[in-house]
Amino acid sequence: MHPEQNEVQAARGPYETSSLRHSNVISPSHSEHVFPPAQAKKQVAMNQGSGVLTLLLLFVLVDPSLVLSASINPPLQESDSLGDSLRHSEGKEIHIFYIHGIGSDGPNDYDSLALRSSICAYLRDCTSPAGTPIGQWDYADQDQFRPDATVPQLEYMDEPVWKSADEWRAAAPYAIHFQLTRANGQNLYVDELNWWPLTFSLKCRQIIASDASFVAPSKARIETCSRREPNLAVPQRFKSYDWITPEEAARMVHLPSKGARANRALKTGLMDWGFSDAVLALGPLRTYVLDGIRQLILKSQADSRAASVSDPAGQPVDQEFVIVCHSLGSYLIFSALDINQTTAKTTTVQQSGSRFDQVLERTSMVFFFANQLRLLELASLDGPTDRNFATHIESWGKLRCAYLKSKLGASQGCRPPRITALNDPSDLLTWTVPNLPGVEVENYTVKNSTRWFWIIENPTKAHNKYARDKRAIREMLQSHSAAKK
C-alpha cells in the first residue's frame, strides 16, 4: 500500500471479508454470549457493507460490558478492549503491528488504511482521517537482505526463483510507519509489516502465468504482477516489480477461459493467489520471511523517533504493543518474535539482544482474522520447536506475566494476555483457535455477508463499499452507546 494513498478507501480481501450478525461468542470457559437485539438489527443492515477490519471496532473498540469476559475478576486487571487502551493510554506509546495474511494484493492492498481510518473514526480526534506516514518505506536491509547481498540460490523446477540482483532487491519485505496524531490524546502508531514481496516471483511466474492458459487469465493478478515502480525515495528498492513482462501480460489477458466460472474463481483466487502463500511459508522460504519480519519489527520499535516523541533526556519511552493480523500473518508474527535455542541466529538476531522479548512482554492483545492455525500446525508435530505455535504462545504468556509482576506495585498474580479470533464459518480457510497454554483465547463466530468469489473476480469494485462500511461503524458504535444508557 502506498503511503501517499492516505485518503479513506475500502478494506478488501478475496475471502477475509465478513460482517457481524447475531451470533454466539465462544470463550475458553465455554460460556455462551448473545448480542443485544438492538445490535442485531443494525447488523442486518450491514449485510453488504462491512469489511473484516470493521469487526475490530465492533468487538473490541466498544464498551467491554457488551461482551462478557472469559475470566472472572482476573488479577492485575488490564484494559478489556482496544478502545480502552487507545483512549486511556496512561502515558504509554501504543504501537499497533498490522501484518497481512495470504493473498495480499501487494501495493494495491488497503487493509492497513481501513484499520487506521476506522480507529480515527472511533476516536474522533485524529488530525487526519487515517494518520500520516513517518519517513520513507523501511526495507529489510540486513544480512541476506542487504542491497549488495548475494542472490539466494533457491530454484523451482530447475529455474532460479530470483534471476538478478534487482529481482532479489524487489523481493525485500518492507514496513510503512504511520502516526495517528490526536487533538485530545496521545499519538498512536500503526506499523504495517509487508512480507508479500518474497512470494510474488513464484506466484506470478509459476502459478498465475501457468493457469492463465490452463484455466483462465486472472486479469487483476496479471496486472499486479506486471507493474514496475521503483521507489524513488529509497535507492535500489521497488514499490512493485514486473515479474511478468508487460508484453507477456498483454498476451495473457486475451487468452480464452477454459475452466467453469465458479471453479476458476476458486482456483485462480483462493488456491493460486492465496493458499500458495501458506505452502511457501512452510517451505524453504519460511526462513527468509521470518528474518524479514524480524528486521521490520526492530525498525518499527524506533519509528516514533522520527516524530520526535522520545524523552528529551534520551530515556526510552514506555511502549505498549497490539498485534492485528490476518490469516497466515498470525502464524508468522509469533514465529518471528519468539527467539529460542532452536532459532537460526542471523547477525540481526544475535545483535538484537532481548528486543524481541521486550515486544512480547509489552503485548497484551492480539487479534486474529481468518486464521489457519489448526491447518498449519499439521506440519508441526515434533514437539516444542521453532515450528510449534503453542511453544511460541506459551513463551509470550510467560514473558507477559513476568513483566506485569515486575511492575511497581503489581500483585503476585497476573492476567494472561489475550487472543481474540474472529472466525467466519463460511470462510473456506478459517478455523477456530484452540485453547493454548498461558493465554486467554476468545473465539467469536461471525457470518459472511459478501460473496467472497465476487470480490475475487471484481477486486476493484470492493472499494465502492467503504462509504457504507464507515456508516455501519458509526451506527454500530451509536447502538452500543444507546445500549449503555
Side-chain angles (χ1 to χ4, degrees):
M1 194 207 71
H2 295 274
E4 61 266 29
Q5 291 174 324
N6 218 34
E7 68 277 6
V8 176
Q9 298 201 39
R12 65 191 184 95
Y15 30 82
E16 296 175 359
T17 304
S18 307
S19 74
L20 171 66
R21 291 183 182 175
H22 186 63
S23 59
N24 294 335
V25 179
I26 305 170
S27 73
S29 60
H30 304 292
S31 56
E32 185 176 88
H33 311 308
V34 180
F35 292 92
Q39 182 178 343
K41 292 180 181 178
K42 294 293 183 181
Q43 292 153 7
V44 173
M46 294 168 58
N47 281 353
Q48 295 299 320
S50 181
V52 67
L53 287 171
T54 302
L55 297 170
L56 178 63
L57 294 177
L58 305 186
F59 281 107
V60 296
L61 291 182
V62 296
D63 187 277
S65 65
L66 293 174
V67 179
L68 301 179
S69 173
S71 299
I72 305 299
N73 298 322
L76 197 60
Q77 182 71 34
E78 296 284 305
S79 295
D80 270 329
S81 71
L82 181 56
D84 271 349
S85 295
L86 299 184
R87 286 193 179 278
H88 309 292
S89 59
E90 299 178 349
K92 295 178 181 177
E93 180 182 280
I94 297 180
H95 287 247
I96 300 175
F97 285 141
Y98 170 81
I99 181 166
H100 64 82
I102 61 174
S104 171
D105 284 327
N108 301 318
D109 201 296
Y110 295 92
D111 279 346
S112 165
L113 179 57
L115 171 64
R116 290 179 280 112
S117 58
S118 295
I119 289 173
C120 283
Y122 171 75
L123 293 174
R124 299 185 179 182
D125 66 350
C126 293
T127 58
S128 63
T132 55
I134 302 173
Q136 306 301 332
W137 289 19
D138 239 342
Y139 289 85
D141 56 8
Q142 301 299 312
D143 302 323
Q144 63 264 54
F145 292 111
R146 296 190 325 272
D148 61 347
T150 302
V151 180
Q153 300 301 305
L154 293 182
E155 294 186 349
Y156 177 89
M157 303 289 186
D158 286 335
E159 182 179 340
V161 176
W162 300 285
K163 302 177 182 179
S164 67
D166 259 1
E167 289 191 0
W168 176 232
R169 287 191 285 264
Y174 67 90
I176 309 177
H177 313 295
F178 296 91
Q179 176 176 290
L180 277 59
T181 304
R182 299 178 59 194
N184 302 306
Q186 188 159 332
N187 297 340
L188 309 171
Y189 298 88
V190 175
D191 301 295
E192 178 190 293
L193 311 182
N194 293 274
W195 53 267
W196 59 263
L198 279 165
T199 69
F200 267 40
S201 172
L202 286 163
K203 291 203 303 184
C204 292
R205 287 172 169 165
Q206 306 298 344
I207 307 296
I208 295 299
S210 173
D211 265 358
S213 58
F214 175 55
V215 180
S218 176
K219 295 181 180 180
R221 309 305 182 198
I222 292 171
E223 180 183 354
T224 298
C225 290
S226 60
R227 185 187 307 116
R228 177 183 290 214
E229 182 182 357
N231 191 334
L232 300 179
V234 186
Q236 298 183 302
R237 298 298 186 184
F238 297 83
K239 293 185 175 181
S240 61
Y241 194 82
D242 52 343
W243 304 105
I244 298 174
T245 66
E247 296 77 17
E248 185 66 6
R251 182 191 68 82
M252 287 181 183
V253 296
H254 292 101
L255 292 172
S257 299
K258 298 177 181 178
R261 183 179 179 85
N263 289 9
R264 68 176 186 255
L266 277 168
K267 183 76 181 298
T268 60
L270 183 62
M271 303 305 295
D272 291 357
W273 198 248
F275 193 67
S276 56
D277 283 329
V279 176
L280 289 170
L282 295 175
L285 203 61
R286 179 178 184 273
T287 301
Y288 297 93
V289 173
L290 294 183
D291 197 50
I293 292 173
R294 289 177 184 131
Q295 293 188 33
L296 301 182
I297 289 171
L298 295 178
K299 290 174 178 288
S300 298
Q301 282 184 285
D303 61 12
S304 58
R305 295 174 189 170
S308 301
V309 300
S310 57
D311 187 274
Q315 297 298 318
V317 294
D318 185 10
Q319 293 180 322
E320 192 79 13
F321 300 95
V322 174
I323 297 175
V324 178
C325 40
H326 281 251
S327 63
L328 183 59
S330 56
Y331 177 83
L332 295 173
I333 188 71
F334 280 100
S335 299
L337 282 170
D338 183 25
I339 305 298
N340 55 50
Q341 65 272 18
T342 63
T343 303
K345 301 297 191 297
T346 62
T347 302
T348 299
V349 170
Q350 291 174 343
Q351 294 176 349
S352 65
S354 61
R355 290 176 65 185
F356 294 109
D357 285 353
Q358 291 171 4
V359 172
L360 283 175
E361 69 185 18
R362 292 170 178 266
T363 300
S364 60
M365 301 180 188
V366 175
F367 302 94
F368 289 174
F369 296 107
N371 78 89
Q372 293 105 40
L373 295 183
R374 287 185 185 271
L375 180 67
L376 296 171
E377 277 298 280
L378 294 177
S380 304
L381 306 178
D382 48 356
T385 70
D386 69 330
R387 289 179 176 268
N388 188 295
F389 188 78
T391 301
H392 303 318
I393 295 300
E394 188 173 11
S395 295
W396 172 38
K398 290 178 179 178
L399 287 166
R400 178 65 179 172
C401 187
Y403 168 71
L404 292 177
K405 288 182 178 179
S406 70
K407 295 177 66 175
L408 184 63
S411 67
Q412 292 302 308
C414 65
R415 178 171 186 171
R418 185 169 70 251
I419 293 175
T420 301
L422 296 102
N423 312 313
D424 179 0
S426 297
D427 191 330
L428 298 183
L429 285 178
T430 296
W431 287 263
T432 59
V433 177
N435 289 335
L436 293 165
V439 300
E440 293 180 357
V441 176
E442 295 178 332
N443 283 293
Y444 289 81
T445 299
V446 295
K447 291 187 177 180
N448 188 28
S449 68
T450 306
R451 294 178 301 164
W452 58 265
F453 55 85
W454 181 88
I455 298 297
I456 290 174
E457 294 183 289
N458 302 273
T460 57
K461 294 182 181 179
H463 295 296
N464 299 329
K465 300 195 285 80
Y466 192 73
R468 286 177 289 174
D469 290 349
K470 192 171 182 180
R471 285 197 298 271
I473 293 169
R474 183 167 58 248
E475 291 172 0
M476 184 60 65
L477 291 171
Q478 289 172 346
S479 71
H480 285 306
S481 299
K484 284 181 63 178
K485 296 177 182 178

mmCIF file of all heavy atoms in Angstrom, residues 214-246:
data_model
loop_
_atom_site.group_PDB
_atom_site.id
_atom_site.type_symbol
_atom_site.label_atom_id
_atom_site.label_comp_id
_atom_site.label_asym_id
_atom_site.label_seq_id
_atom_site.Cartn_x
_atom_site.Cartn_y
_atom_site.Cartn_z
ATOM 1 N N PHE A 214 -4.108 -22.459 -18.816
ATOM 2 C CA PHE A 214 -4.739 -23.723 -18.449
ATOM 3 C C PHE A 214 -6.178 -23.549 -17.969
ATOM 4 O O PHE A 214 -7.081 -24.295 -18.376
ATOM 5 C CB PHE A 214 -3.907 -24.400 -17.363
ATOM 6 C CG PHE A 214 -4.521 -25.662 -16.819
ATOM 7 C CD1 PHE A 214 -4.877 -26.717 -17.659
ATOM 8 C CD2 PHE A 214 -4.744 -25.807 -15.457
ATOM 9 C CE1 PHE A 214 -5.444 -27.872 -17.169
ATOM 10 C CE2 PHE A 214 -5.319 -26.965 -14.953
ATOM 11 C CZ PHE A 214 -5.671 -28.003 -15.800
ATOM 12 N N VAL A 215 -6.425 -22.539 -17.120
ATOM 13 C CA VAL A 215 -7.760 -22.326 -16.540
ATOM 14 C C VAL A 215 -8.423 -21.085 -17.119
ATOM 15 O O VAL A 215 -9.454 -21.158 -17.783
ATOM 16 C CB VAL A 215 -7.677 -22.203 -14.996
ATOM 17 C CG1 VAL A 215 -9.063 -21.983 -14.402
ATOM 18 C CG2 VAL A 215 -7.035 -23.447 -14.402
ATOM 19 N N ALA A 216 -7.808 -19.931 -16.858
ATOM 20 C CA ALA A 216 -8.325 -18.650 -17.341
ATOM 21 C C ALA A 216 -7.360 -17.564 -16.900
ATOM 22 O O ALA A 216 -6.717 -17.690 -15.845
ATOM 23 C CB ALA A 216 -9.720 -18.356 -16.781
ATOM 24 N N PRO A 217 -7.225 -16.485 -17.668
ATOM 25 C CA PRO A 217 -6.369 -15.391 -17.211
ATOM 26 C C PRO A 217 -7.046 -14.618 -16.073
ATOM 27 O O PRO A 217 -8.224 -14.269 -16.171
ATOM 28 C CB PRO A 217 -6.223 -14.518 -18.466
ATOM 29 C CG PRO A 217 -7.433 -14.819 -19.284
ATOM 30 C CD PRO A 217 -7.795 -16.249 -19.005
ATOM 31 N N SER A 218 -6.311 -14.410 -14.997
ATOM 32 C CA SER A 218 -6.802 -13.572 -13.905
ATOM 33 C C SER A 218 -6.283 -12.163 -14.161
ATOM 34 O O SER A 218 -5.136 -11.834 -13.824
ATOM 35 C CB SER A 218 -6.300 -14.107 -12.558
ATOM 36 O OG SER A 218 -6.683 -13.256 -11.503
ATOM 37 N N LYS A 219 -7.104 -11.329 -14.753
ATOM 38 C CA LYS A 219 -6.638 -10.030 -15.234
ATOM 39 C C LYS A 219 -6.105 -9.158 -14.099
ATOM 40 O O LYS A 219 -5.083 -8.471 -14.255
ATOM 41 C CB LYS A 219 -7.762 -9.321 -15.984
ATOM 42 C CG LYS A 219 -8.168 -10.038 -17.265
ATOM 43 C CD LYS A 219 -9.261 -9.299 -18.013
ATOM 44 C CE LYS A 219 -9.644 -10.048 -19.293
ATOM 45 N NZ LYS A 219 -10.719 -9.354 -20.056
ATOM 46 N N ALA A 220 -6.789 -9.173 -12.957
ATOM 47 C CA ALA A 220 -6.343 -8.342 -11.836
ATOM 48 C C ALA A 220 -4.973 -8.794 -11.341
ATOM 49 O O ALA A 220 -4.096 -7.974 -11.050
ATOM 50 C CB ALA A 220 -7.364 -8.397 -10.699
ATOM 51 N N ARG A 221 -4.767 -10.118 -11.238
ATOM 52 C CA ARG A 221 -3.488 -10.628 -10.757
ATOM 53 C C ARG A 221 -2.383 -10.391 -11.778
ATOM 54 O O ARG A 221 -1.245 -10.053 -11.423
ATOM 55 C CB ARG A 221 -3.569 -12.129 -10.461
ATOM 56 C CG ARG A 221 -4.716 -12.542 -9.570
ATOM 57 C CD ARG A 221 -4.738 -11.806 -8.258
ATOM 58 N NE ARG A 221 -5.831 -12.269 -7.419
ATOM 59 C CZ ARG A 221 -6.318 -11.602 -6.380
ATOM 60 N NH1 ARG A 221 -5.782 -10.435 -6.057
ATOM 61 N NH2 ARG A 221 -7.308 -12.088 -5.674
ATOM 62 N N ILE A 222 -2.690 -10.577 -13.045
ATOM 63 C CA ILE A 222 -1.695 -10.351 -14.092
ATOM 64 C C ILE A 222 -1.257 -8.890 -14.096
ATOM 65 O O ILE A 222 -0.070 -8.581 -14.225
ATOM 66 C CB ILE A 222 -2.249 -10.758 -15.465
ATOM 67 C CG1 ILE A 222 -2.429 -12.287 -15.514
ATOM 68 C CG2 ILE A 222 -1.331 -10.297 -16.597
ATOM 69 C CD1 ILE A 222 -3.158 -12.780 -16.739
ATOM 70 N N GLU A 223 -2.212 -7.995 -13.902
ATOM 71 C CA GLU A 223 -1.865 -6.570 -13.840
ATOM 72 C C GLU A 223 -0.964 -6.284 -12.644
ATOM 73 O O GLU A 223 0.026 -5.556 -12.761
ATOM 74 C CB GLU A 223 -3.138 -5.731 -13.752
ATOM 75 C CG GLU A 223 -2.858 -4.234 -13.690
ATOM 76 C CD GLU A 223 -4.132 -3.417 -13.529
ATOM 77 O OE1 GLU A 223 -5.227 -4.008 -13.591
ATOM 78 O OE2 GLU A 223 -4.018 -2.203 -13.333
ATOM 79 N N THR A 224 -1.283 -6.861 -11.488
ATOM 80 C CA THR A 224 -0.458 -6.667 -10.298
ATOM 81 C C THR A 224 0.943 -7.200 -10.510
ATOM 82 O O THR A 224 1.928 -6.600 -10.059
ATOM 83 C CB THR A 224 -1.101 -7.374 -9.087
ATOM 84 O OG1 THR A 224 -2.378 -6.793 -8.824
ATOM 85 C CG2 THR A 224 -0.231 -7.256 -7.846
ATOM 86 N N CYS A 225 1.051 -8.320 -11.223
ATOM 87 C CA CYS A 225 2.345 -8.978 -11.430
ATOM 88 C C CYS A 225 3.205 -8.329 -12.505
ATOM 89 O O CYS A 225 4.382 -8.695 -12.655
ATOM 90 C CB CYS A 225 2.125 -10.446 -11.798
ATOM 91 S SG CYS A 225 1.495 -11.489 -10.471
ATOM 92 N N SER A 226 2.652 -7.406 -13.277
ATOM 93 C CA SER A 226 3.385 -6.885 -14.433
ATOM 94 C C SER A 226 3.665 -5.386 -14.348
ATOM 95 O O SER A 226 4.032 -4.765 -15.339
ATOM 96 C CB SER A 226 2.605 -7.182 -15.722
ATOM 97 O OG SER A 226 1.324 -6.563 -15.681
ATOM 98 N N ARG A 227 3.515 -4.816 -13.156
ATOM 99 C CA ARG A 227 3.723 -3.370 -12.994
ATOM 100 C C ARG A 227 5.036 -3.109 -12.270
ATOM 101 O O ARG A 227 5.250 -3.592 -11.161
ATOM 102 C CB ARG A 227 2.572 -2.752 -12.213
ATOM 103 C CG ARG A 227 2.667 -1.221 -12.104
ATOM 104 C CD ARG A 227 1.607 -0.646 -11.186
ATOM 105 N NE ARG A 227 0.268 -1.083 -11.553
ATOM 106 C CZ ARG A 227 -0.507 -1.833 -10.773
ATOM 107 N NH1 ARG A 227 -0.075 -2.232 -9.595
ATOM 108 N NH2 ARG A 227 -1.709 -2.187 -11.164
ATOM 109 N N ARG A 228 5.917 -2.351 -12.871
ATOM 110 C CA ARG A 228 7.184 -1.993 -12.218
ATOM 111 C C ARG A 228 7.125 -0.534 -11.764
ATOM 112 O O ARG A 228 6.810 0.364 -12.536
ATOM 113 C CB ARG A 228 8.377 -2.172 -13.148
ATOM 114 C CG ARG A 228 9.707 -1.740 -12.498
ATOM 115 C CD ARG A 228 10.883 -1.838 -13.423
ATOM 116 N NE ARG A 228 11.247 -3.214 -13.723
ATOM 117 C CZ ARG A 228 12.510 -3.624 -13.916
ATOM 118 N NH1 ARG A 228 13.503 -2.780 -13.800
ATOM 119 N NH2 ARG A 228 12.745 -4.879 -14.218
ATOM 120 N N GLU A 229 7.453 -0.320 -10.487
ATOM 121 C CA GLU A 229 7.515 1.035 -9.941
ATOM 122 C C GLU A 229 8.678 1.114 -8.954
ATOM 123 O O GLU A 229 8.577 0.647 -7.824
ATOM 124 C CB GLU A 229 6.214 1.414 -9.230
ATOM 125 C CG GLU A 229 6.237 2.847 -8.706
ATOM 126 C CD GLU A 229 4.966 3.209 -7.963
ATOM 127 O OE1 GLU A 229 4.045 2.379 -7.894
ATOM 128 O OE2 GLU A 229 4.906 4.340 -7.438
ATOM 129 N N PRO A 230 9.795 1.699 -9.376
ATOM 130 C CA PRO A 230 10.903 1.884 -8.430
ATOM 131 C C PRO A 230 10.485 2.816 -7.294
ATOM 132 O O PRO A 230 9.642 3.700 -7.480
ATOM 133 C CB PRO A 230 12.004 2.510 -9.289
ATOM 134 C CG PRO A 230 11.611 2.217 -10.707
ATOM 135 C CD PRO A 230 10.113 2.189 -10.722
ATOM 136 N N ASN A 231 11.055 2.610 -6.127
ATOM 137 C CA ASN A 231 10.827 3.522 -5.007
ATOM 138 C C ASN A 231 11.867 4.627 -5.104
ATOM 139 O O ASN A 231 13.019 4.446 -4.698
ATOM 140 C CB ASN A 231 10.941 2.774 -3.675
ATOM 141 C CG ASN A 231 10.451 3.611 -2.510
ATOM 142 O OD1 ASN A 231 10.466 4.841 -2.556
ATOM 143 N ND2 ASN A 231 10.010 2.947 -1.456
ATOM 144 N N LEU A 232 11.476 5.764 -5.635
ATOM 145 C CA LEU A 232 12.421 6.844 -5.901
ATOM 146 C C LEU A 232 13.046 7.390 -4.623
ATOM 147 O O LEU A 232 14.136 7.966 -4.653
ATOM 148 C CB LEU A 232 11.708 7.968 -6.665
ATOM 149 C CG LEU A 232 11.118 7.566 -8.028
ATOM 150 C CD1 LEU A 232 10.420 8.757 -8.677
ATOM 151 C CD2 LEU A 232 12.193 7.005 -8.948
ATOM 152 N N ALA A 233 12.365 7.213 -3.494
ATOM 153 C CA ALA A 233 12.878 7.737 -2.225
ATOM 154 C C ALA A 233 13.882 6.789 -1.572
ATOM 155 O O ALA A 233 14.597 7.189 -0.649
ATOM 156 C CB ALA A 233 11.722 8.003 -1.264
ATOM 157 N N VAL A 234 13.923 5.539 -2.030
ATOM 158 C CA VAL A 234 14.829 4.540 -1.440
ATOM 159 C C VAL A 234 15.602 3.885 -2.589
ATOM 160 O O VAL A 234 15.048 3.046 -3.304
ATOM 161 C CB VAL A 234 14.062 3.474 -0.630
ATOM 162 C CG1 VAL A 234 15.049 2.548 0.083
ATOM 163 C CG2 VAL A 234 13.115 4.124 0.366
ATOM 164 N N PRO A 235 16.853 4.239 -2.774
ATOM 165 C CA PRO A 235 17.628 3.704 -3.910
ATOM 166 C C PRO A 235 17.664 2.180 -3.927
ATOM 167 O O PRO A 235 17.730 1.520 -2.890
ATOM 168 C CB PRO A 235 19.039 4.282 -3.669
ATOM 169 C CG PRO A 235 18.817 5.503 -2.836
ATOM 170 C CD PRO A 235 17.635 5.191 -1.961
ATOM 171 N N GLN A 236 17.575 1.633 -5.107
ATOM 172 C CA GLN A 236 17.677 0.188 -5.375
ATOM 173 C C GLN A 236 16.515 -0.616 -4.797
ATOM 174 O O GLN A 236 16.616 -1.839 -4.692
ATOM 175 C CB GLN A 236 19.014 -0.373 -4.835
ATOM 176 C CG GLN A 236 20.243 0.227 -5.482
ATOM 177 C CD GLN A 236 21.522 -0.407 -4.970
ATOM 178 O OE1 GLN A 236 21.800 -0.387 -3.770
ATOM 179 N NE2 GLN A 236 22.308 -0.978 -5.875
ATOM 180 N N ARG A 237 15.429 0.050 -4.453
ATOM 181 C CA ARG A 237 14.260 -0.663 -3.948
ATOM 182 C C ARG A 237 13.057 -0.352 -4.836
ATOM 183 O O ARG A 237 13.054 0.599 -5.616
ATOM 184 C CB ARG A 237 13.966 -0.270 -2.502
ATOM 185 C CG ARG A 237 15.079 -0.606 -1.524
ATOM 186 C CD ARG A 237 15.350 -2.102 -1.443
ATOM 187 N NE ARG A 237 16.326 -2.419 -0.407
ATOM 188 C CZ ARG A 237 16.804 -3.629 -0.180
ATOM 189 N NH1 ARG A 237 16.401 -4.654 -0.916
ATOM 190 N NH2 ARG A 237 17.689 -3.845 0.785
ATOM 191 N N PHE A 238 12.009 -1.184 -4.684
ATOM 192 C CA PHE A 238 10.850 -1.088 -5.560
ATOM 193 C C PHE A 238 9.565 -1.076 -4.750
ATOM 194 O O PHE A 238 9.495 -1.675 -3.677
ATOM 195 C CB PHE A 238 10.816 -2.268 -6.535
ATOM 196 C CG PHE A 238 11.988 -2.325 -7.466
ATOM 197 C CD1 PHE A 238 13.179 -2.900 -7.063
ATOM 198 C CD2 PHE A 238 11.899 -1.792 -8.744
ATOM 199 C CE1 PHE A 238 14.270 -2.960 -7.916
ATOM 200 C CE2 PHE A 238 12.975 -1.846 -9.607
ATOM 201 C CZ PHE A 238 14.174 -2.428 -9.198
ATOM 202 N N LYS A 239 8.553 -0.395 -5.281
ATOM 203 C CA LYS A 239 7.202 -0.486 -4.728
ATOM 204 C C LYS A 239 6.445 -1.637 -5.380
ATOM 205 O O LYS A 239 5.597 -2.264 -4.747
ATOM 206 C CB LYS A 239 6.462 0.838 -4.929
ATOM 207 C CG LYS A 239 7.042 1.987 -4.115
ATOM 208 C CD LYS A 239 6.202 3.245 -4.245
ATOM 209 C CE LYS A 239 6.732 4.346 -3.333
ATOM 210 N NZ LYS A 239 5.912 5.587 -3.417
ATOM 211 N N SER A 240 6.706 -1.889 -6.633
ATOM 212 C CA SER A 240 6.166 -3.065 -7.315
ATOM 213 C C SER A 240 7.136 -3.435 -8.431
ATOM 214 O O SER A 240 7.945 -2.607 -8.871
ATOM 215 C CB SER A 240 4.762 -2.798 -7.875
ATOM 216 O OG SER A 240 4.787 -1.746 -8.821
ATOM 217 N N TYR A 241 7.028 -4.678 -8.879
ATOM 218 C CA TYR A 241 8.006 -5.177 -9.844
ATOM 219 C C TYR A 241 7.301 -6.022 -10.900
ATOM 220 O O TYR A 241 6.331 -6.720 -10.604
ATOM 221 C CB TYR A 241 9.068 -6.021 -9.122
ATOM 222 C CG TYR A 241 10.300 -6.310 -9.956
ATOM 223 C CD1 TYR A 241 11.311 -5.365 -10.069
ATOM 224 C CD2 TYR A 241 10.441 -7.521 -10.624
ATOM 225 C CE1 TYR A 241 12.443 -5.627 -10.830
ATOM 226 C CE2 TYR A 241 11.563 -7.791 -11.389
ATOM 227 C CZ TYR A 241 12.564 -6.827 -11.487
ATOM 228 O OH TYR A 241 13.680 -7.074 -12.252
ATOM 229 N N ASP A 242 7.817 -5.948 -12.131
ATOM 230 C CA ASP A 242 7.196 -6.676 -13.252
ATOM 231 C C ASP A 242 7.755 -8.097 -13.341
ATOM 232 O O ASP A 242 8.614 -8.396 -14.171
ATOM 233 C CB ASP A 242 7.367 -5.918 -14.562
ATOM 234 C CG ASP A 242 8.809 -5.527 -14.841
ATOM 235 O OD1 ASP A 242 9.638 -5.537 -13.897
ATOM 236 O OD2 ASP A 242 9.129 -5.205 -16.000
ATOM 237 N N TRP A 243 7.240 -8.971 -12.473
ATOM 238 C CA TRP A 243 7.633 -10.378 -12.510
ATOM 239 C C TRP A 243 7.159 -11.041 -13.801
ATOM 240 O O TRP A 243 7.758 -12.006 -14.276
ATOM 241 C CB TRP A 243 7.063 -11.100 -11.297
ATOM 242 C CG TRP A 243 7.465 -10.475 -10.005
ATOM 243 C CD1 TRP A 243 6.696 -9.709 -9.180
ATOM 244 C CD2 TRP A 243 8.767 -10.529 -9.398
ATOM 245 N NE1 TRP A 243 7.426 -9.289 -8.094
ATOM 246 C CE2 TRP A 243 8.708 -9.787 -8.201
ATOM 247 C CE3 TRP A 243 9.972 -11.142 -9.740
ATOM 248 C CZ2 TRP A 243 9.800 -9.631 -7.353
ATOM 249 C CZ3 TRP A 243 11.074 -10.990 -8.909
ATOM 250 C CH2 TRP A 243 10.973 -10.246 -7.726
ATOM 251 N N ILE A 244 6.075 -10.527 -14.343
ATOM 252 C CA ILE A 244 5.627 -10.891 -15.695
ATOM 253 C C ILE A 244 5.850 -9.662 -16.560
ATOM 254 O O ILE A 244 5.415 -8.563 -16.200
ATOM 255 C CB ILE A 244 4.140 -11.286 -15.702
ATOM 256 C CG1 ILE A 244 3.906 -12.516 -14.808
ATOM 257 C CG2 ILE A 244 3.641 -11.541 -17.111
ATOM 258 C CD1 ILE A 244 2.443 -12.888 -14.654
ATOM 259 N N THR A 245 6.526 -9.802 -17.667
ATOM 260 C CA THR A 245 6.805 -8.630 -18.501
ATOM 261 C C THR A 245 5.506 -8.046 -19.041
ATOM 262 O O THR A 245 4.523 -8.783 -19.252
ATOM 263 C CB THR A 245 7.729 -8.997 -19.679
ATOM 264 O OG1 THR A 245 7.022 -9.893 -20.548
ATOM 265 C CG2 THR A 245 9.016 -9.645 -19.190
ATOM 266 N N PRO A 246 5.467 -6.742 -19.285
ATOM 267 C CA PRO A 246 4.249 -6.130 -19.835
ATOM 268 C C PRO A 246 3.801 -6.768 -21.146
ATOM 269 O O PRO A 246 2.604 -6.909 -21.398
ATOM 270 C CB PRO A 246 4.654 -4.667 -20.032
ATOM 271 C CG PRO A 246 5.735 -4.434 -19.006
ATOM 272 C CD PRO A 246 6.489 -5.739 -18.939
#
